[in-house]
């Protein structure tokens, strides 16, 4: 059976931690930042864990991570 291909778009956006959690970047942090509060923008800098509802799909996109 041939090797599975990793989805390159997902590989660039998601990182797997040592404990196996999948981390993602938060949305709404790239532009139109003048209307957002400093507190909100500071929170958007942090990475977030991928929700449990989406983990099954992410594991298919990243078979070797």
């Amino acid at each position: 059976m041939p090797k599975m291909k990793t989805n390159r778009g997902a590989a660039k956006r998601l990182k797997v931690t040592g404990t196996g959690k999948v981390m993602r970047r938060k949305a709404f942090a790239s532009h139109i930042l003048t209307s957002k509060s400093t507190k909100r923008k500071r929170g958007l800098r942090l990475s977030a864990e991928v929700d449990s509802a989406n983990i099954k799909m992410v594991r298919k996109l990243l078979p070797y991570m």
Side-chain angles (χ1 to χ4, degrees):
M1 192 167 161
K3 288 191 269 186
M4 291 175 72
K5 282 194 173 182
T6 297
N7 182 291
R8 299 312 295 160
K12 289 166 189 173
R13 287 169 173 81
L14 304 167
K15 295 281 175 265
V16 181
T17 64
T19 55
K21 287 191 280 187
V22 183
M23 302 304 284
R24 63 169 175 85
R25 196 164 166 247
K26 287 187 182 170
F28 308 108
S30 59
H31 64 117
I32 316 175
L33 298 170
T34 50
S35 61
K36 293 167 188 144
S37 70
T38 309
K39 182 179 178 180
R40 183 175 168 193
K41 287 185 280 190
R42 193 164 56 244
L44 291 172
R45 281 185 218 143
L46 305 170
S47 57
E49 194 178 340
V50 172
D51 196 70
S52 58
N54 300 317
I55 285 291
K56 193 175 178 182
M57 179 181 64
V58 167
R59 293 287 175 201
K60 280 184 181 177
L61 296 172
L62 307 171
Y64 301 108
M65 293 188 122

